Amino acid sequence: MKTIKTQVGIIGAGPAGLTLALMLQKQGIKCVIIENRSREYVENRVRAGLLEHNTVEVFEELGVADRLHQEGLVHHGCYIAYNGITQRIDFQKHTQREVTIYGQQEVVKDLIKACLDRKIEIIFEAEATEINDFMTEEPSISFTHGGENAILNCDFVAGTDGFHGLGRKTLPKESYNEFKIEYPFSWLGILAYSKPTYDELIYAFHHEGFALASMRSEKVCRLYLQVPNDEKIENWSDEQIWTELENRLGIELDKGEIFEKGITPMRSFMIDNLQAGRLFLAGDAAHIVPPTGAKGLNLAVADVRNLAKGITDFYKNGNEDALNNYTKKCVSRVWRVQDFSNFMTYLCHKQAENGSFEQLLQKSKFDYLRMSEAYQKTIAENYVGLPFEAFE
Ligand code: RFL
Ligand code: PHB
């Protein structure tokens, strides 16, 4: 059987695994990434679009932010609307920070290129099937590649393999508590060759459901509609999608060609332990947040920053304190982000009948948002991302 050896075995070439690899490589630590999909597939998987200030700084430190700075769109605020009445949240005024709009698939392309340029081995179309001996100092990952079984021996295993990955399934069940909410609605998302008719993102509550106007460039819009969980994409013609978006957003849109559409369920999920021996989880493997707060990718980067620091401290100073504190370090940020994502989700989505107690409470939150700078600041500082130091 083919056997390879490295220091850190990483499962998954998503934002978490790739960023971790680059952080470790910068410290002279060797790693190998095992990814079950092809390079083409992961580079074209459409997902997130909004990078926190923190995340951009991490990419700058890693020397992978050139294209992001050329092509990304820097936003200093966003709009939150209630049935057509709009309040701008001014990030600049409240936080002196900003966010950058840059598609996750572009991030992934940049990270993969940097990994390969720096001689980090990524084995694509290789499926990790088992994580062995992780309670010892000699763990390994069994995987299949090109129809053959193979083994990756390593000192540490990073489970950065997403929500359905092997990492969390391997973590002993008795080592963690699980928390989750399944929301009774989903997002129908589109990408279209259209010029954005809005300058910043719009989060819109509407009595027929939530809508979000985002973008990818000056020529490509990313837009979302709240739909029921059992909705089928075939039920929505392109024309219906545009009509409903204009209705809920209350603005005219440039109705270009829709070239991607899909439905995503909304859930909050987390576990409160991310480590068992030499196995560490990070990113979506450990937590999912509903996309209303735009936090999933950013949280993945915050996790691996802690993990890379812990692993570096181990190799450079023989000190395991940071590794042993890894869960604690990550989980306080995860709870903050869970709260904010849940808050934005409940704030912006239609849940209750017009005129009901719940709906009137929800309306009251928007009225308060328009009158209170403090409320706006709370949203702004969570949205742009609390600094890493806040959780040190
Ligand atoms: P990923 O990206 O899922 O990567 C995991 C990788 O592991 C591979 N894998 C395996 N490889 C080998 N062997 C196995 N057994 C394996 N099992 C799995 C998978 O193929 C995959 O390549 O997880 P990671 O790296 O933790 O990154 C997380 C982010 O992808 C995710 O949180 C974001 O996309 C969430 N998200 C958003 N996050 C933001 O920060 N800002 C946003 O604006 C934002 N918008 C969104 C979003 C997610 C969305 N969807 C589709 C869920 C909008 C949407 C609609
Ligand atoms: C996106 O551009 O895909 C996006 C932006 C903000 C969100 C979610 C998704 O809250």
Side-chain angles (χ1 to χ4, degrees):
M1 192 183 320
K2 185 179 169 189
T3 304
I4 45 179
K5 169 116 189 86
T6 192
Q7 289 177 297
V8 182
I10 301 177
I11 311 175
L18 294 163
T19 306
L20 176 65
L22 290 167
M23 287 171 163
L24 295 174
Q25 190 268 347
K26 198 173 167 192
Q27 299 301 328
I29 299 165
K30 294 200 175 357
C31 54
V32 171
I33 306 179
I34 295 171
E35 166 58 52
N36 63 359
R37 302 288 191 165
S38 67
R39 178 173 179 183
E40 199 197 348
Y41 183 93
V42 292
E43 288 189 344
N44 290 295
R45 189 163 43 194
V46 175
R47 283 192 174 168
L50 190 136
L51 306 183
E52 286 178 359
H53 190 109
N54 292 324
T55 304
V56 172
E57 273 178 7
V58 166
F59 291 158
E60 279 167 358
E61 282 163 20
L62 291 172
V64 292
D66 290 354
R67 200 160 68 91
L68 183 161
H69 284 310
Q70 276 159 27
E71 298 175 19
L73 306 170
V74 175
H75 282 193
H76 300 284
C78 73
Y79 300 101
I80 301 188
Y82 182 85
N83 280 334
I85 308 167
T86 300
Q87 175 62 51
R88 180 166 187 268
I89 308 291
D90 189 333
F91 305 151
Q92 200 67 28
K93 177 165 98 185
H94 292 299
T95 70
Q96 294 80 53
R97 299 181 126 212
E98 69 284 314
V99 298
T100 303
I101 309 293
Y102 188 63
Q104 179 167 327
Q105 67 272 41
E106 304 310 317
V107 169
V108 168
K109 278 178 203 150
D110 296 345
L111 296 175
I112 289 178
K113 182 173 183 310
C115 282
L116 298 178
D117 287 350
R118 296 171 201 183
K119 309 278 180 269
I120 296 168
E121 188 177 1
I122 309 176
I123 312 177
F124 288 102
E125 298 177 68
E127 166 130 15
T129 51
E130 203 149 350
I131 304 168
N132 315 296
D133 304 327
F134 54 87
M135 296 311 287
T136 75
E137 291 180 5
E138 294 178 346
S140 66
I141 304 168
S142 303
F143 66 100
T144 54
H145 182 51
E148 310 257 319
N149 293 330
I151 292 265
L152 174 60
N153 290 315
C154 47
D155 301 332
F156 295 97
V157 175
T160 51
D161 48 357
F163 185 61
H164 300 289
L166 180 66
R168 197 176 66 258
K169 285 184 197 132
T170 306
L171 205 69
K173 290 270 174 296
E174 63 283 1
S175 74
Y176 62 83
N177 295 298
E178 195 176 287
F179 304 90
K180 67 175 169 213
I181 301 175
E182 311 262 351
Y183 297 90
F185 38 76
S186 300
W187 277 16
L188 186 163
I190 62 160
L191 275 169
Y193 295 117
S194 306
K195 188 176 160 26
T197 53
Y198 38 93
D199 57 344
E200 292 173 336
L201 270 57
I202 309 171
Y203 291 80
F205 172 91
H206 185 271
H207 58 83
E208 281 169 28
F210 168 72
L212 168 61
S214 179
M215 58 188 82
R216 286 290 176 273
S217 69
E218 266 131 45
K219 292 188 190 137
V220 174
C221 286
R222 178 76 165 143
L223 297 135
Y224 300 94
L225 285 171
Q226 175 185 351
V227 293
N229 276 343
D230 55 0
E231 190 61 279
K232 299 269 174 296
I233 196 77
E234 307 79 69
N235 293 345
W236 287 81
S237 68
D238 291 2
E239 201 187 321
Q240 272 173 307
I241 294 174
W242 285 121
T243 305
E244 199 51 26
L245 282 166
E246 285 193 328
N247 175 35
R248 294 190 194 178
L249 290 163
I251 56 169
E252 212 171 297
L253 296 168
D254 172 26
K255 299 185 260 312
E257 182 199 340
I258 296 177
F259 63 94
E260 151 83 37
K261 54 181 171 179
I263 294 183
T264 313
M266 306 271 289
R267 63 165 77 89
S268 302
F269 173 88
M270 67 182 282
I271 54 176
D272 58 3
N273 172 38
L274 311 188
Q275 177 194 4
R278 292 287 182 98
L279 167 65
F280 292 84
L281 302 191
D284 277 14
H287 39 68
I288 295 287
V289 287
T292 331
K295 289 280 172 251
L297 186 159
N298 297 297
L299 204 48
V301 169
D303 285 350
V304 297
R305 183 174 171 273
N306 291 332
L307 185 52
K309 276 192 171 173
I311 294 176
T312 303
D313 224 22
F314 172 87
Y315 283 117
K316 295 251 153 104
N317 310 314
N319 187 338
E320 294 191 42
D321 293 352
L323 274 181
N324 291 332
N325 271 325
Y326 171 69
T327 291
K328 195 162 163 246
K329 202 77 191 286
C330 293
V331 164
S332 56
R333 185 179 198 92
V334 176
W335 274 120
R336 175 88 309 279
V337 166
Q338 288 288 5
D339 176 50
F340 178 67
S341 306
N342 174 267
F343 161 81
M344 284 291 284
T345 302
Y346 282 136
L347 179 73
C348 295
H349 287 75
K350 179 187 162 74
Q351 295 135 83
E353 282 315 304
N354 269 343
S356 65
F357 182 67
E358 289 80 5
Q359 184 264 323
L360 292 167
L361 285 184
Q362 197 174 358
K363 176 174 182 303
S364 164
K365 290 196 180 66
F366 285 96
D367 293 341
Y368 180 47
L369 180 63
R370 281 195 297 279
M371 69 179 83
S372 167
E373 293 259 329
Y375 205 26
Q376 291 168 27
K377 181 169 180 162
T378 295
I379 292 181
E381 72 177 2
N382 281 278
Y383 192 90
V384 301
L386 287 153
F388 290 129
E389 304 80 62
F391 299 93
E392 302 279 281

